Structures are given as structure tokens and as C-alpha cells.
Amino acid sequence: MNPKLYSLLALVLALLVQPVLAQQKVTYSLSFPNAVHHEAEVQVTFSDIKSDTLRVLMPRSSPGRYAIHEFAKNVYNVRATDAQGKPLRIFRPGTSEWDVLGHNGTVTVNYTLFADHADGTYAGVDETHAHLNMPATLLYAKGFEQAPAYVSFHIPQGKNWKVATQLRQEKGNTFFAPNFQYLMDSPTELSDFDFAEWTVEENGKTKTLQVALHHPGTPEQFADYVAKTKKIVAEQRAIYGQLPAYDFGRYTFIGCYMPQAVGDGMEHRNSTMLTSSRSLAEAMNSLLNTVSHEFFHAWNVERIRPKTLEPFNFQEANISEALWLAEGFTSYYGDMVMVRSGISDLQKYASDLAGDLNYVLLLPGRQYHSLIEMSLQAPFVDAARSVDPVNRHNTFVSYYTYGSMTGLAVDMTLRQRYSKTLDDYMQALWRKYGKPEKPYTLADLEETLAEVSGDKAWAKGFFRNSIYGSQLPDFTSLLAKAGMALRKAKPGEATLGMVPLEYSEEGAKLMSGTFVNSGAYKAGLDRTDIILTLDGRKIRTEKDLQKVLDSHKPGDSIPVTFSRLGQTRSTTLVLDEVPTLEVALYENIGKQLTPEMKKYREAWLGSKVREAVTTN
């Protein structure tokens, strides 16, 4: 026999007779014996550890957020044992790290978690529920990133809690995640929630959509919420032509609208976490607008995903230059789908559009940062905490709203110049990058815009000027095609500038820094200054201020006395014109709404649902 062949056979036989190695896995167990005081008890076992030292970590960031949150601050009573229950030594090398020494291949870690902030980023535990964002809840270990995880939830005695999650149910209240990234991306609500589900048939496959809502409302309100959520799902499905291929075949809307909840919405791969202290009775449409935004993320960001967010780093801030599309275009569609579905009317949409345009066009931030640079500011603004005052009212415009109005600009331009739409653009991104789950770059976005429009030069110029730069088109002419007038809301009226004031017997205190493009800024007024007199009149109430402004016109110079750090000073202020814009419907202001304008509106904001959705 050939010696080399003999050696090969011997090696194969040796491998075959070796004992099967244990597979790495992670097993979690969560219980809530002290829920009244917002504590959870967590046990996690790591099996088949490959290294002498097991490094256990608490996440510092969370999917859908981009800032550092230091979740370890709510973890205590940490202890570790081996497979026989023997206590193990723990060394603390960092704020979010625990090194476990002297193990025998298996380590069980027990700890207490304090959780009293029920939103999309943190966790909240009390007598009514356990609301868990996994990065704020679960420790993990280095080297176990690809290991499957099993999570068991122990329902407190006497509670009728159920479990809502995108994790796959194994048996009873034990659930499965294929790996660490999926586990961390799987928020979970344990409570006595209302539940509904329906199915959509696509290409011979059944896709299930679920609503699990923890709320104090009536069954009728819940039914209305579910019916409108179905409309949102149908309209967004119509944009892309199909629902995503959900892992485990389902998507879950997880809602908590309870008094102790904090308003938020957070997208995940096959679910979304929706929170608010407001009830369905008082804020149905506002809450559904968040549903619309977050569900659109199931395509845009969860699957049409920027390369700069891959893979998500749970120990650092995560930045991407493409949040203007990931979040901004999602905001544009979130609002627009509310109209297409018939949940909101045209007048409400025009009013909201005016608010967004005011924010983007009037604030000075675009002179400091491009749209890309605004996206890169996310770790400083996205639920980030800051003790010291910042100058963001001057230097920052949110990539959510700025990106949304950029989406409006692209949509209107494609419609008016190329007989295409932003729907066409999003469909193209879905086919090229979302459906095959191939992360995109900025160059990919520009290339796709060129393909959809058929105008490479325009796409290149738009990206150069409006994405890498800060230019925006003339929205007045763009909206006129839809019979909408973008105009000044109070032409000819004078103002100090957009600055909040707190009135007292002493005067009017500036509650924030002034805007660099305002007369107040140029006059040297700043945060905490107290305006004593304007044009010789004492300013103690809003009525006092309005009397002065009514007696002047924009451009007038008036004397100002103010107090700063206990000293009285004087300056001269040039009054601004009230800059606020409004979006008025032609039919409401006596302008002719032509058949062409009506047709344009319908093509833009009319329903796109063309086929019935199979429901049960």
C-alpha cells in the first residue's frame, strides 16, 4: 500500500473513533422574585470553554442605537461556579468585564440586574411586566459569538404573563437564538398582553405577523390598533412587492404602552419594540406613526443595510455615514404610509411636512456639517447622555429629519424629471442589496440612483452637493406640482429669534443658547441672560414682549438692557422677521388645484395596495 495513502487512512480512522466533542452553547435562566423593586435574577451557563480564562462581558451598546450606554452599571451580585457548583475566582479587568479563573470547562454565572427604564434601549421590570432589551439584560462571553443560546423565562407565581419575542420557541417558556448577534437583537416582553396575528401568503410560503400589546386600553381599542397596523403592513409590502423572509417565518410587533414606559421605538430583524406612557385612547395615530417607521426598518436597515454597521460592535459606539438613508428615508416613508393607508389625512401630512421643513431649512446646522457628517454625529445624540452644555442647536440637524427631507427632494425630483419615484429607488436597493443581504456602500447608493433615474450626471451631482455637501433643492417649486404652497407663515412680523424665554418679575430669561443666524446672537445675547427691557419697556410677560414687537418691523434696531451674572449690560438688537414656514393646500388658500395636481397627489400619496392580503 502506498505509505501516504496508509497514513491518510490511519488519520481518518483515528478521527472516527475519537469521542464526539461537546458543542459550545450558552444557557440563560431569568426569574423575577423581586420584581416589585425592579430586579431580575439571571443565571447563564457557558459550556465547553476553550480557554483557561473565561472573559464575560456586559454590552455597552445596543442594535438600533449608536451611542455607548454602559449597561454594566445595573449589574451586581456577580458570582461564578464550575460544573460541580464550586465557587470560582473572578477578576474585574474593566468596567464591563469579568474574568473567571480556575474553571473545568463549564462556568455558571449568577447576577442581579436592576431594570427600571422600559423603552427600546434599556430594560424595565416591575409587578406588571418584564420588558427586556437583551444588551441591557444579558452577559455574554468571548469565544461564544457563534454558539447557540437557550433562554428560559420563569414566570412569577400568580402572574398571567406570556412571552413575546422574535426568538424561536423551543418548549414552554424556553427560547432559542442561533448565535450571539441574533440573541442581542431579540427584545422580549413578559406580561399579560393582548395578542393578535394574521398571515400573508407569498410564493407558496406563509408569513405570520403578530401584535403583542401590553396596555391598559379596551379590547375595542386593541382591535382598532391591530386593524390599522394591518393597513400599514399592506402599504409597506406594496412598496417593495413582498415582505422580507422573516427568520422562523414571523414578525412580531412588541408594544408596551403603560404609564411607566418611556416613549421609544426600536427596530430589530424580525420584530420591533414600541413603548410609550400614552394610551391608545389619547395617542392612537401618533403611536401608529411609530409602528409605521419601525416596520419600514424590516427592509431598510435590517436588510438593506450599510456596510459600516456590519458587524455590530457591542463594546463600542457604532457609526455609519448612511444614517440619512437608513433612518431618514425611513422617517419619510413612516409619515407617508400613514397617509397612503388612510390613517392620517392630507392636512395633517402637510402640517407635519411644514414642521420638518422648518427644522431643516431654518436651523443653521447645515453650515457646519454635511448630511454624511450629521449621520456620523449619532453616538453623541442618539439617546446619548451629556452633562456639559453643547452647541448642537447651532451645529446639528438630525439625520432623521434632514434625511427625511432629502428623501422628499429625491422623490419629487425623480417624479418630475424622470417619471420615476422613490419607491422605484427603494425597490432597486431591495433587489440589489436587501433581498440578497449584501451590505451597501455610499458608492452603491449613488450608482443605484443613476440607474433608476437614467441620469448618471445628475446622480453624481446630487450626491456631491446634497449628500457629501449641504445643499437642498427649491422645495417651493417641487411641492407646487402637488398643489402645496410652501410659504412664510407670518410675513412682515418681527421677532427676537427662535429662543425660549422664561418670564418673571425680573425679566425674560433665555433658556437656551441663541442661534447664530439670529439677531439675538449677533447682539451678544446668550443662555441664562435675563432681558430687562426692550426699546425701553420692561419685559416681564409674553404680552410685554409682543407689544414691543408689534410696534416694530423686521430690520428695526432697538436698545436692549439685560442682566448677565448679576451685572446689567446694554446692547442693540436688529429684529428678525418671523422665519416660520407653512405648507398650505391650494384648495384652502384660494388657489386653483388643477387635475394634474390632483393626479400627482394621488400618485404620490394614494394607496399602493393592489391585491388582497390573506388574513385569518
Side-chain angles (χ1 to χ4, degrees), residues 220-240:
E220 293 76 17
Q221 289 166 347
F222 177 66
D224 187 29
Y225 179 91
V226 172
K228 289 175 177 175
T229 297
K230 287 182 179 180
K231 291 182 178 181
I232 290 170
V233 169
E235 286 295 342
Q236 295 195 6
R237 177 192 176 204
I239 292 167
Y240 290 99

Side-chain angles (χ1 to χ4, degrees), residues 385-391 527:
R385 299 289 187 263
S386 180
V387 175
D388 56 319
V390 295
N391 197 28
R527 183 176 65 89

Side-chain angles (χ1 to χ4, degrees), residues 145-362:
E145 288 81 3
Q146 299 306 316
Y150 297 84
V151 186
S152 295
F153 301 101
H154 300 277
I155 307 302
Q157 188 174 2
K159 300 292 185 183
N160 295 318
W161 290 2
K162 304 177 287 289
V163 181
T165 181
Q166 70 176 28
L167 296 168
R168 187 182 76 194
Q169 188 172 19
E170 291 293 286
K171 183 178 180 182
N173 288 327
T174 296
F175 295 80
F176 165 81
N179 52 49
F180 165 71
Q181 286 277 340
Y182 194 90
L183 174 67
M184 288 293 118
D185 194 41
S186 300
T188 301
E189 168 79 18
L190 284 72
S191 62
D192 187 14
F193 50 74
D194 284 338
F195 182 79
E197 68 177 22
W198 66 101
T199 59
V200 175
E201 302 295 333
E202 288 185 344
N203 300 320
K205 293 184 178 180
T206 300
K207 299 177 181 180
T208 301
L209 295 107
Q210 303 175 327
V211 177
L213 195 62
H214 183 209
H215 72 116
T218 65
E220 293 76 17
Q221 289 166 347
F222 177 66
D224 187 29
Y225 179 91
V226 172
K228 289 175 177 175
T229 297
K230 287 182 179 180
K231 291 182 178 181
I232 290 170
V233 169
E235 286 295 342
Q236 295 195 6
R237 177 192 176 204
I239 292 167
Y240 290 99
Q242 63 181 164
L243 295 172
Y246 303 126
D247 301 299
F248 314 131
R250 60 181 167 81
Y251 183 95
T252 307
F253 296 93
I254 304 171
C256 179
Y257 302 147
M258 295 291 288
Q260 71 270 37
V262 179
D264 200 1
M266 188 56 59
E267 72 277 5
H268 297 274
R269 182 169 171 83
N270 303 297
S271 65
T272 179
M273 185 70 93
L274 307 152
T275 59
S276 178
S277 60
R278 296 185 296 171
S279 67
L280 296 179
E282 62 182 321
M284 175 72 80
N285 280 13
S286 177
L287 298 173
L288 286 166
N289 202 325
T290 304
V291 170
S292 182
H293 178 101
E294 301 305 333
F295 186 59
F296 198 81
H297 274 313
W299 292 271
N300 188 30
V301 91
E302 290 300 331
R303 290 165 177 86
I304 305 173
R305 192 162 177 81
K307 192 173 184 179
T308 40
L309 288 181
E310 288 295 315
F312 192 85
N313 189 332
F314 287 88
Q315 289 300 314
E316 299 293 341
N318 289 258
I319 64 172
S320 173
E321 76 287 1
L323 296 186
W324 56 271
L325 184 135
E327 294 290 0
F329 279 27
T330 298
S331 293
Y332 177 65
Y333 273 101
D335 294 341
M336 186 164 57
V337 165
M338 292 291 286
V339 184
R340 289 183 177 181
S341 63
I343 299 172
S344 290
D345 60 24
L346 185 61
Q347 184 61 56
K348 173 67 163 58
Y349 182 72
S351 176
D352 291 346
L353 199 60
D356 290 344
L357 287 168
N358 274 298
Y359 174 72
V360 174
L361 296 177
L362 302 184

Side-chain angles (χ1 to χ4, degrees), residues 348-396:
K348 173 67 163 58
Y349 182 72
S351 176
D352 291 346
L353 199 60
D356 290 344
L357 287 168
N358 274 298
Y359 174 72
V360 174
L361 296 177
L362 302 184
L363 296 190
R366 287 187 298 123
Q367 65 184 272
Y368 293 91
H369 297 298
S370 70
L371 186 52
I372 285 175
E373 290 169 327
M374 294 299 182
S375 296
L376 295 174
Q377 296 291 306
F380 304 128
V381 298
D382 190 58
R385 299 289 187 263
S386 180
V387 175
D388 56 319
V390 295
N391 197 28
R392 297 205 176 281
H393 62 285
N394 276 319
T395 63
F396 181 70

